[in-house]
Amino acid sequence: MTEEKRIDNNEITQQQEMPKENKMGTMPVNQLLISMSLPMMISMLVQALYNVVDSIFVARINENALTAVSLAFPIQSLMIALGGGTGVGVNALLSRALGEKDYDKVSKAAMNGIFASYICYAIFLCVGVSIAKPFYLSQTQDMEIVNYGVQYLTIVCICSFGIFTQFIFERLLQSTGKTVYSMITQTTGAVINLIMDPILIFGLFGMPKLGVAGAALATIFGQIVAGIMAITMNLKKNTEVRLYLKGYRPSWTTIKQIYVVGIPSIIMQSIGSVMVYGLNKILITFSSTATAVFGVYFKLQSFIFMPVFGLNNGMVPIIAFNYGARNKARMLQTIKLAATYAVSIMLLGVVVFQFLPDKLLLLFDASEFMLGMGVPALRIISVHFCLAGFCIVIGSVFQALGNGVYSMVVSICRQLLVLLPVAYLLSKLGNVNYVWWAFPIAECMSLAVTLFFFARIKKQVIDQL
């Protein structure tokens, strides 16, 4: 009798220790997608806001300072590529393990993702120490721009442990559906940056006037605080992921699984860095103002694209979880809803860019010359937004299903095989306005390739469930 009671007690204890059924397999899909995506969309909108405010404040120094910060974008984009790509791999692996109810695999994915993230930081520490000045000199010989840029980029790279910490620990929260907590960390970091920017750039409240270096310090301070908060929330709130240091050894098999999905995402975003670097080289042959316009465009378009990326961050765990749970209907419904929402967001962006381009540029203290170049640029480039929204969502579906290489191929075709060559050829016509048409041309090609790959993955993977 005592033995039976002991067995019953053990069974009760095991049932209590088993995590509850995750909402990604039970909640109505539309409600689930909105509940998971909306916090991410809000937090990424706030991030977009502080990226824009950074440039607005820096533009008040002078146009060369704005150009210097714009030219730093390829390196910062590489940083985001490594951190974000690692996070994508962890997200897909961890969410799938949750769907399979393999909780050892969940913790292993988390710990090895953290390890990999700090290897990424070590790479950018080296970049900040040795590459900042040669990188700027490869783009311009204007020493004011170079000096501004080296100050900014050195600080951002050497202190990038903050952004890598923030990336990986926020991804762990997103992977288990706790996107509200990652919204809190991202928003807090963004607000800190917003507050510190004018104080450090212009020397308010007795602080030294640091200029462009102040913008960099404000950025990394916000990232470090957000990273610390993300660690704390994982330890206190993310009970489905067990984090441990004692006895941890890197699992190269798990790291390989992370990067099977993550490397295509990293390459895809890194290609964006190459594209921006190449386009800056093309545009600066017209004037430094053309480069500044392109930099301002990238800041402004983040208001439109960031909510779509937030939508994707909410969508990927749902698709990965239901792929692991073999639930085809929930996967397809998630894809349809996400694509509809993404195109709707992008349509709003088209309206704003078409009817208010001058108002947007004046936020950056644009001169008449910059307005004359920037207004047609924003109108022409925004033509492709709706197509881009659809392609972004489907590209994330590829990643969630472990076929990130499809997204990589689309990105290579769009940015290296079409956009840059077309931009170069159009620049030879002698009018910078022609260069902007490379964006919609490249997006049309991207749509065709994306649809081809989606039809293939639907037949080979989704329809087989």
Side-chain angles (χ1 to χ4, degrees):
M1 193 72 176
T2 304
E3 184 64 27
E4 289 177 0
K5 286 183 179 179
R6 187 181 296 115
I7 292 170
D8 289 343
N9 288 336
N10 287 339
E11 288 177 353
I12 291 169
T13 301
Q14 288 174 2
Q15 288 171 4
Q16 288 173 341
E17 289 175 352
M18 286 293 290
K20 294 184 296 184
E21 181 69 26
N22 193 282
K23 66 180 181 180
M24 289 187 284
T26 58
M27 186 183 288
V29 172
N30 191 41
Q31 181 185 349
L32 176 64
L33 181 62
I34 292 172
S35 68
M36 289 189 62
S37 299
L38 193 58
M40 296 307 307
M41 293 167 73
I42 293 170
S43 61
M44 296 192 86
L45 265 176
V46 174
Q47 281 194 316
L49 177 63
Y50 86 72
N51 285 335
V52 169
V53 171
D54 256 2
S55 293
I56 289 173
F57 285 130
V58 166
R60 297 302 189 269
I61 300 172
N62 57 46
E63 192 174 292
N64 278 348
L66 177 60
T67 300
V69 172
S70 299
L71 291 176
F73 183 80
I75 297 293
Q76 289 180 290
S77 183
L78 280 174
M79 197 181 298
I80 293 168
L82 271 178
T86 301
V88 165
V90 172
N91 202 335
L93 183 62
L94 197 155
S95 296
R96 196 178 309 158
L98 278 176
E100 296 165 352
K101 295 182 170 53
D102 187 342
Y103 297 103
D104 287 337
K105 191 175 180 181
V106 167
S107 293
K108 189 177 284 188
M111 290 305 302
N112 285 282
I114 293 167
F115 174 79
S117 292
Y118 288 111
I119 297 298
C120 295
Y121 162 64
I123 294 170
F124 280 92
L125 175 63
C126 296
V127 170
V129 170
S130 60
I131 295 178
K133 189 168 185 177
F135 170 74
Y136 271 91
L137 287 172
S138 72
Q139 298 179 87
T140 179
Q141 297 302 309
D142 187 320
M143 291 313 297
E144 185 178 34
I145 295 175
V146 171
N147 290 333
Y148 280 141
V150 170
Q151 290 176 45
Y152 183 83
L153 195 57
T154 300
I155 293 169
V156 166
C157 287
I158 289 176
C159 298
S160 61
F161 60 87
I163 193 171
F164 284 107
T165 299
Q166 184 180 352
F167 263 126
I168 188 61
F169 284 96
E170 285 176 351
R171 282 290 187 173
L172 297 184
L173 293 166
Q174 294 165 22
S175 297
T176 56
K178 297 174 179 63
T179 53
V180 171
Y181 295 119
S182 59
M183 179 191 75
I184 293 170
T185 60
Q186 288 187 356
T187 303
T188 301
V191 169
I192 289 172
N193 181 284
L194 286 171
I195 294 170
M196 297 302 293
D197 255 336
I199 294 173
L200 295 178
I201 292 172
F202 303 116
L204 306 179
F205 307 116
M207 296 295 288
K209 184 178 180 180
L210 299 175
V212 171
L217 287 169
T219 296
I220 62 102
F221 187 62
Q223 291 166 351
I224 291 169
V225 172
I228 292 170
M229 287 182 65
I231 292 173
T232 303
M233 288 184 177
N234 269 283
L235 294 174
K236 291 186 175 181
K237 304 293 184 181
N238 209 4
T239 56
E240 290 167 294
V241 178
R242 185 174 66 89
L243 301 178
Y244 57 94
L245 288 175
K246 187 176 180 180
Y248 169 71
R249 294 288 183 275
S251 168
W252 302 111
T253 301
T254 302
I255 291 172
K256 180 182 176 182
Q257 290 174 331
I258 289 170
Y259 282 109
V260 163
V261 176
I263 283 179
S265 178
I266 291 168
I267 293 173
M268 186 170 61
Q269 293 185 66
S270 300
I271 288 166
S273 298
V274 175
M275 181 276 290
V276 171
Y277 179 82
L279 205 52
N280 279 336
K281 295 272 285 184
I282 292 168
L283 291 170
I284 209 161
T285 61
F286 290 95
S287 69
S288 62
T289 301
T291 306
V293 166
F294 184 47
V296 166
Y297 157 72
F298 253 97
K299 299 290 184 179
L300 291 171
Q301 59 93 31
S302 65
F303 271 112
I304 313 302
F305 281 75
M306 282 294 193
V308 176
F309 293 141
L311 177 69
N312 278 2
N313 287 342
M315 176 194 72
V316 166
I318 300 172
I319 293 176
F321 180 97
N322 285 286
Y323 178 48
R326 315 287 291 177
N327 195 325
K328 173 183 172 182
R330 287 178 67 84
M331 288 172 59
L332 288 174
Q333 191 177 356
T334 302
I335 294 167
K336 290 175 183 176
L337 286 168
T340 301
Y341 290 142
V343 172
S344 299
I345 292 167
M346 288 298 197
L347 183 59
L348 178 62
V350 173
V351 172
V352 173
F353 273 59
Q354 291 296 321
F355 292 99
L356 300 172
D358 53 338
K359 305 294 188 298
L360 296 174
L361 290 163
L362 286 172
L363 292 172
F364 299 85
D365 206 25
S367 63
E368 285 298 321
F369 182 61
M370 188 173 177
L371 282 171
M373 189 178 292
V375 167
L378 297 188
R379 284 178 172 156
I380 292 168
I381 297 174
S382 64
V383 168
H384 82 282
F385 281 2
C386 290
L387 298 182
F390 177 82
C391 291
I392 289 168
V393 167
I394 302 303
S396 293
V397 171
F398 299 154
Q399 294 169 358
L401 298 178
N403 264 287
V405 69
Y406 287 175
S407 299
M408 180 184 71
V409 171
V410 172
S411 188
I412 290 172
C413 291
R414 177 183 177 273
Q415 298 186 85
L416 297 188
L417 300 185
V418 179
L419 198 153
L420 268 184
V422 169
Y424 176 75
L425 292 173
L426 291 174
S427 73
K428 294 302 179 182
L429 298 176
N431 187 333
V432 70
N433 288 337
Y434 294 145
V435 176
W436 312 123
W437 282 104
F439 284 90
I441 291 170
E443 204 60 57
C444 288
M445 182 285 310
S446 175
L447 177 65
V449 178
T450 297
L451 288 172
F452 171 78
F453 280 138
F454 182 67
R456 188 171 181 177
I457 204 169
K458 186 175 182 299
K459 181 179 179 181
Q460 295 179 349
V461 178
I462 300 174
D463 289 346
Q464 301 304 314
L465 294 178

